[in-house]
Amino acid sequence: MAARIDHAVTAGTFSLDGQTFDVDNNVWVVGDDTECVVVDAPHDVDAILAVVGGRRVRAILATHAHDDHVRVAPALARATGAPVLLHPADRVLWDQVHPDEAPGGELRDGDTVEVAGAALTVLHTPGHSPGACSFHAPALGAVFTGDTLFAGGPGATGRSYSDFGTIIDSIRNRLLTLPPATVVHTGHGESTTVGAEAPHLAEWLARGH
């Protein structure tokens, strides 16, 4: 059975630099009827498990370690037996959320995660955070960008451990080079495509941050 993409939205908060905001987060589940991987673990374990169903979870892939993306990652790992995988450059953020519990493994640029006959390639796309990663699934015509690229532009870079020039480089060199029809599944809000966003790079640069 071919891999597919399932989706849920969970509501909660994001806190960093002494400020807290209400946010809705996307959860993406990639797999077939037997096995899957979960992209990000925000807010609500039960909502994520409802999408997973009875499938074996092979891994929990963290796009980055802001609290609204990994808040329930350890609890989800315990519930499913799957490791939480995180780029080591984001450990400084992870430790702010889960100081007493380490991730289950590391993501590295170029790594491949296999699930249900589909391959997700890890693209290190820093800028929103030092260890931010995107996951490209060519067989599904999709990339999961977390908070690196949204419908309408780059993710925020006004907080600790973020950098506008770095996120622009990541988007230009790692994401906008993907096929234009590639669907961009984001950490918040609506999906878009590489082709829809690519013409606006100059606008984002002019807008700056």
Side-chain angles (χ1 to χ4, degrees):
M1 184 172 291
R4 65 180 188 273
I5 301 168
D6 297 309
H7 175 231
V9 178
T10 65
T13 60
F14 162 62
S15 299
L16 189 66
D17 297 337
Q19 293 181 295
T20 297
F21 307 89
D22 293 327
V23 289
D24 291 337
N25 284 64
N26 293 320
V27 179
W28 302 100
V29 179
V30 182
D32 58 16
D33 288 346
T34 303
E35 64 178 17
C36 63
V37 296
V38 176
V39 179
D40 286 339
H43 312 312
D44 187 338
V45 170
D46 290 338
I48 300 170
L49 290 175
V51 180
V52 167
R55 293 179 281 179
R56 175 194 174 203
V57 179
R58 296 181 60 88
I60 301 157
L61 308 180
T63 61
H64 62 295
H66 285 155
D67 64 350
D68 60 318
H69 290 256
V70 298
R71 188 183 311 280
V72 300
L76 184 63
R78 289 191 289 271
T80 61
V84 180
L85 305 182
L86 177 74
H87 193 284
D90 256 25
R91 185 62 188 269
V92 62
L93 289 163
W94 171 277
D95 288 345
Q96 293 181 16
V97 186
H98 301 296
D100 300 319
E101 194 156 6
E106 294 185 350
L107 296 170
R108 299 284 184 176
D109 186 64
D111 284 354
T112 299
V113 179
E114 303 274 353
V115 63
L120 282 73
T121 300
V122 178
L123 307 176
H124 182 212
T125 50
H128 182 68
S129 70
C133 289
S134 300
F135 307 108
H136 181 215
L140 298 173
V143 62
F144 303 89
T145 58
D147 290 3
T148 296
L149 178 62
F150 292 117
T157 53
R159 302 189 182 280
S160 295
Y161 308 106
S162 65
D163 182 76
F164 180 73
T166 301
I167 202 171
I168 288 293
D169 285 345
S170 292
I171 293 169
R172 179 197 287 121
N173 299 326
R174 307 307 305 277
L175 299 177
L176 298 187
T177 54
L178 299 176
T182 303
V183 178
V184 178
H185 294 303
T186 62
H188 309 270
E190 297 298 317
S191 296
T192 182
T193 65
V194 168
E197 301 307 318
H200 302 290
L201 179 63
E203 298 169 26
W204 305 336
L205 286 167
R207 198 163 70 209
H209 203 77

